[in-house]
Amino acid sequence: MVKPLKVKEKVGSLYLPEQVRDDVQQMTNVARVLKLGSDAYKDEGKFPSGPWCKEGDYVVYQKFRGVKIAYKGVPVTIIADDEVLMVVPEPTDVNNNMFNFSKASA
């Protein structure tokens, strides 16, 4: 389970409406890993070197993958372990469609 990074309220001098920010947040492909399932990375054939990420890591995954839900009012995405493309040490370095992400809000 991952939480997409929150989009900043402002791009340049433009304020983004809340609905636009919510939509972009759900469509982003940079997220913080909140929880790994009990079967994550157990397939040694797929993951001979072990897990690709751990809870608390920031990851990039393929857009439009996973199941987007609100868990306790928080938008999260459930993705498969093999959908993680890479771990990024500083998620704010990833520029997704001109929107700036706020690490503090993740």
Side-chain angles (χ1 to χ4, degrees):
M1 179 168 60
V2 298
K3 180 182 178 206
L5 296 185
K6 189 166 184 161
V7 176
K8 290 184 180 180
E9 290 184 13
K10 200 168 145 180
V11 175
S13 62
L14 294 173
Y15 283 93
L16 298 173
E18 185 176 345
Q19 182 62 45
V20 171
R21 292 191 316 265
D22 290 345
D23 290 346
V24 171
Q25 181 174 347
Q26 283 295 319
M27 291 176 25
T28 186
N29 60 337
V30 180
R32 182 170 177 238
V33 178
L34 298 177
K35 188 76 176 161
L36 293 177
S38 59
D39 290 333
Y41 300 109
K42 296 292 184 194
D43 185 345
E44 291 181 15
K46 278 186 185 178
F47 310 105
S49 300
W52 292 356
C53 66
K54 62 186 180 311
E55 291 176 11
D57 283 348
Y58 292 95
V59 297
V60 175
Y61 61 97
Q62 295 177 355
K63 281 189 179 197
F64 309 114
R65 293 294 183 143
V67 177
K68 293 163 180 42
I69 62 170
Y71 178 70
K72 295 184 179 182
V74 177
V76 296
T77 304
I78 309 295
I79 61 172
D81 52 7
D82 61 355
E83 291 177 341
V84 173
L85 301 176
M86 64 187 266
V87 174
V88 291
E90 185 58 50
T92 55
D93 289 343
V94 178
N95 186 355
N96 186 15
N97 297 329
M98 86 174 190
F99 294 99
N100 294 320
F101 298 111
S102 173
K103 180 178 177 182
S105 63

